[in-house]
Amino acid sequence: MKPEHWETFKKAARLEKMPQVPVALIIDSPWIPGYLGIKHLDYFLNPEVWFQANLAIHREFPEIIFVPSWWMEYGMAAEPSALGGKIKFWQDNTPSEYPMLFRIEDMDSLPEYDVEADAFMALTLHRIRMQRQRILDTGEILPIVTSRGPMCTASFVRGTTEFMMDLVEKPEWAHKLLDLCTRLVIDWLKAQARAMGPTVGGIFVLDDIVGFVNEEHYEEFAHPCLKRICDAFPKDWVKIYHNDANIDACVEHLPDAGFNVLNWGKQTDIAEVKARIGGRLCLMGNVNPLEVGVRGTPAEVRAATLDVLEKSCGENIILSVGGGVSPGMPRENIRAMLDALNEFNTSRAHA
Amino acid sequence: MPDYALMNQCLYEGKAREVEQMTRDALAGGCSVREVLLEGLIAGMSVVGEDFKHNVLYVPEVLIAARAMKAGMTVLKPLLGPGGDTNSTGRLLIGTVRGDLHDIGKNLVCMMAEGAGFQVKDIGVDQSVEKFLAAADEFKPDVVGMSALLTTTMSYMKVVVDGFEQRGKTGIKLAIGGAPTSQAFADEIGADGYGADASGAVDLFLSLLEKKNAPAQ
Ligand code: B12
């Protein structure tokens, strides 16, 4: 992400009037290796392959704001790995994470976490420090720190199904586990900010598991944790939230938690999200990533993009797909999305 | 006559102990196992399924309701004929395929299938063809269900289908599901059917059973 990209993103996040609708995509290890024809393990473990891959993509699409810029990640492995999750790596796929907390009560016996030294967190931080100057030298910056959210992390550690039942059956333990995960997330984000340096001014929290609970559970379990995370960072930092499961029960609460930008899934039409929350959150979405983004023709991508843009009226929106970029989204469909945006922006400028 | 409406309500609210007790009471009062299963348990679970579909219930409530259903089933199971299950709707073996750890949808399918009277064996996530085959040898399912949520792992379903095909005519029906899959994909890889959601999955399993049990032409 170039400094001017970040300025644009921040303006949009603050709901300022934008002369042009910007475009941002979350790209990460589910998509990049396949797009460039490299192996996942090489992408994760060979710093040169990782650097060149990200450079190639930033150069190919200079108009796109990539969130969170250059992302040092091991799929979703970092957070659960610090709390004892088992991680399995694949040659051609993102890693799998296995819960190991078979009895929630055993969380009391977990060794104290240490974000600077634990498992894939330590390795990620080291990669940030190794690559940072090289990235800055390309004219890009690292403005955003990133973490899976507390519900997602708790589900990784405990198992999603088990954790969902804990919410009902062992609420006091569920709160305890969430408290642990919230502290971990905050410390993890802060550690990344230290490693990245003064260009950081935003947090990005991904938590789909929030989308599986009703509003009452959201308010009791998820909201206080999300708010604690947002409150732990300066007021003027941009706070981005991703959830491409169901946002029906939580969407109205997200601004109160402290978020400025929402990246959500294909299930909820932008017209509905805008009606419910459009004046209080910047909407980053939501062209259907798989059925249209991967499987659609460029003409279908164009139509879907224009549909999203028109429903947004060009206000409080950053064009994106509904979620992360899906593995297999081809070049011509990304181009079709960008062309449709140009078309929209041009006709708006003339209006 | 037991208060099935109340039993359904208790199941809906996930009150496992009450459902278990009401199941016992209904049997003690002379109701048939089949009646209690259908009107007490399955009827309650189908409301849960509907309400989940319409965002009235969310995942935790569905899981808790399913557990209440299971509590009732533990009472009925030993009475369901010799072997414990000859009266069950059918036998379903299910798992998420290799490389994929998404299981929320699969677990809901399991619950609704149990809710419809199936004997279910869930082998969990990240399952290889060898594991599917070995589990099938042991469990002897009528239907094998596979779940995948990633475009990168759905292709592995074909590996499992081929694995079963190489076994020759086992009579086992193969069903697939998960967001990126479709009927067209099922046709392409030679699976017997595709289900779009949990209730669609149950309808699919039932129709596959009918086909399986239909006399050969
Ligand atoms: C929740 C979720 C997760 C959770 C999973 C938790 C869990 N224990 O399951 C977590 C956070 C762990 C996760 C991880 C990842 N995820 Co994910 N995830 C989702 C999300 C938001 C929802 C999936 C879900 O549970 N839906 C709700 C259930 C009820 O629906 P369902 O699964 O479709 O199941 C229903 C039907 O399909 C059907 N069904 C399901 N199975 C079966 C089986 C049979 C036999 C039948 C008949 C029917 C049937 O019935 C079910 C009930 O109605 C989706 C986006 C989306 N909205 O779909 C992304 C999504 C699937 N994930 C995605 C990705 C990329 C990942 C990761 C690779 C990310 C990463 N950076 O590492 C990892 C996966 C690692 C791995 N190796 O598996 C992508 C996949 C893209 C693609 N095209 O392949 C998606 C689409 C998001 C996106 N970016 O667009 N994820």
Side-chain angles (χ1 to χ4, degrees):
Chain A
M1 195 189 290
K2 297 253 187 297
E4 56 271 25
H5 277 148
W6 181 227
E7 288 311 312
T8 304
F9 194 93
K10 282 194 287 191
K11 275 192 193 143
R14 293 187 190 119
L15 309 180
E16 287 178 26
K17 239 189 158 41
M18 307 292 289
Q20 305 252 296
V21 171
V23 53
L25 292 177
I26 302 167
I27 52 156
D28 52 1
S29 58
W31 181 76
I32 298 175
Y35 185 73
L36 295 174
I38 52 188
K39 292 218 165 291
H40 277 79
L41 275 188
D42 293 333
Y43 182 76
F44 292 132
L45 294 180
N46 185 330
E48 192 57 28
V49 167
W50 179 87
F51 180 86
Q52 294 301 341
N54 279 277
L55 186 65
I57 282 161
H58 282 74
R59 295 236 161 111
E60 182 174 359
F61 301 106
E63 60 275 66
I64 298 177
I65 305 173
F66 289 109
V67 175
S69 195
W70 297 51
W71 190 358
M72 286 78 165
E73 37 100 17
Y74 295 93
M76 296 182 165
E79 296 80 7
S81 76
L83 295 177
K86 170 186 150 92
I87 312 295
K88 195 161 165 181
F89 275 91
W90 306 96
Q91 287 285 340
D92 292 317
N93 202 355
T94 46
S96 305
E97 299 78 9
Y98 295 82
M100 301 299 283
L101 191 62
F102 302 118
R103 294 170 355 116
I104 195 167
E105 295 82 359
D106 289 343
M107 65 167 282
D108 276 348
S109 319
L110 287 177
E112 189 57 40
Y113 70 77
D114 176 353
V115 294
E116 293 282 349
D118 282 346
F120 292 103
M121 287 190 170
L123 301 192
T124 305
L125 292 174
H126 190 66
R127 277 169 68 193
I128 294 175
R129 292 188 193 104
M130 279 198 308
Q131 302 270 18
R132 180 179 168 273
Q133 194 53 51
R134 228 180 147 189
I135 295 168
L136 297 181
D137 289 346
T138 68
E140 306 260 338
I141 54 169
L142 295 171
I144 301 169
V145 289
T146 306
S147 178
R148 307 292 154 185
M151 298 276 283
C152 187
T153 305
S155 293
F156 272 134
V157 175
R158 172 77 175 121
T160 310
T161 295
E162 291 74 9
F163 183 63
M164 292 288 105
M165 307 215 359
D166 292 335
L167 296 180
V168 181
E169 305 219 292
K170 297 183 174 171
E172 62 300 338
W173 282 102
H175 276 297
K176 248 181 123 170
L177 183 57
L178 281 171
D179 173 65
L180 171 69
C181 293
T182 303
R183 284 189 281 124
L184 177 81
V185 169
I186 292 171
D187 290 342
W188 170 225
L189 291 169
K190 287 189 170 166
Q192 290 173 59
R194 282 193 298 276
M196 284 180 188
T199 51
V200 178
I203 66 168
F204 179 27
V205 177
L206 303 94
D207 202 325
D208 301 330
I209 303 302
V210 169
F212 291 106
V213 303
N214 67 25
E215 191 168 7
E216 217 175 288
H217 281 147
Y218 170 81
E219 289 187 280
E220 179 179 349
F221 293 98
H223 189 81
C225 300
L226 294 174
K227 186 162 165 43
R228 255 168 80 192
I229 293 168
C230 289
D231 287 347
F233 295 89
K235 258 205 149 29
D236 62 342
W237 279 27
V238 171
K239 280 113 189 172
I240 310 161
Y241 175 61
H242 157 97
N243 173 357
D244 59 5
N246 186 353
I247 54 162
D248 216 37
C250 70
V251 68
E252 269 95 1
H253 300 282
L254 295 172
D256 301 329
F259 290 110
N260 313 105
V261 179
L262 170 67
N263 173 248
W264 78 105
K266 62 183 178 193
Q267 305 92 325
T268 324
D269 193 274
I270 186 163
E272 183 190 335
V273 183
K274 183 176 160 68
R276 288 173 66 177
I277 202 73
R280 298 168 68 208
L281 268 183
C282 175
L283 304 182
M284 180 175 150
N286 85 329
V287 175
N288 181 329
L290 179 62
E291 283 80 4
V292 179
V294 177
R295 294 179 181 160
T297 61
E300 286 162 345
V301 174
R302 173 181 175 270
T305 305
L306 289 175
D307 180 57
V308 165
L309 288 167
E310 273 150 22
K311 285 175 177 161
S312 77
C313 309
E315 294 160 358
N316 302 343
I317 179 177
I318 298 172
L319 177 67
S320 190
V321 290
V325 175
S326 256
M329 182 164 179
R331 183 168 280 118
E332 50 283 12
N333 283 0
I334 298 181
R335 280 257 83 88
M337 211 172 141
L338 297 175
D339 291 345
L341 175 65
N342 267 338
E343 203 181 305
F344 180 82
N345 277 333
T346 311
S347 74
R348 225 169 122 233
H350 292 309
Chain B
M1 163 100 180
D3 188 346
Y4 284 127
L6 181 64
M7 195 166 162
N8 294 164
Q9 186 60 29
C10 286
L11 188 149
Y12 186 94
E13 290 170 13
K15 295 179 173 158
R17 229 173 300 138
E18 284 84 341
V19 171
E20 188 183 331
Q21 192 54 50
M22 288 167 115
T23 307
R24 284 187 206 292
D25 293 347
L27 291 176
C31 299
S32 76
V33 174
R34 200 166 168 73
E35 182 187 297
V36 183
L37 178 66
L38 286 177
E39 297 192 29
L41 301 181
I42 294 183
M45 204 57 200
S46 65
V47 184
V48 172
E50 273 307 300
D51 280 2
F52 175 68
K53 213 169 166 176
H54 298 107
N55 279 349
V56 179
L57 292 183
Y58 283 71
V59 171
E61 296 84 66
V62 175
L63 295 171
I64 297 294
R67 243 230 338 240
M69 159 112 195
K70 264 195 180 148
M73 283 303 290
T74 51
V75 179
L76 297 184
K77 245 186 204 161
L79 307 169
L80 280 169
D85 58 30
T86 45
N87 259 6
S88 80
T89 313
R91 297 170 75 82
L92 169 70
L93 171 74
I94 190 166
T96 300
V97 298
R98 187 153 182 82
D100 202 319
L101 54 79
H102 293 86
D103 66 357
I104 299 172
K106 167 188 67 68
N107 292 352
L108 293 169
V109 169
C110 288
M111 279 153 199
M112 296 315 294
E114 273 178 357
F118 278 86
Q119 297 278 310
V120 178
K121 180 158 180 70
D122 176 6
I123 55 174
V125 297
D126 181 24
Q127 293 298 322
S128 62
V129 57
E130 293 80 13
K131 292 272 176 57
F132 271 101
L133 289 170
D137 283 343
E138 200 188 310
F139 182 67
K140 310 247 178 301
D142 302 302
V143 180
V144 171
M146 287 168 262
S147 185
L149 264 283
L150 299 172
T151 41
T152 45
T153 56
M154 62 191 263
S155 49
Y156 193 81
M157 291 172 155
K158 167 122 177 64
V159 177
V160 181
V161 171
D162 290 349
F164 276 94
E165 236 155 53
Q166 277 159 19
R167 283 283 175 96
K169 286 227 167 302
T170 53
I172 298 174
K173 297 287 176 190
L174 302 174
I176 66 162
T181 64
S182 62
Q183 185 57 51
F185 182 67
D187 296 341
E188 187 187 316
I189 63 170
D192 297 298
Y194 154 81
D197 54 29
S199 41
V202 171
D203 293 344
L204 169 70
F205 302 150
L206 290 170
S207 77
L208 290 177
L209 269 181
E210 254 172 54
K211 281 192 199 138
K212 178 171 185 271
N213 296 333
Q217 299 281 312

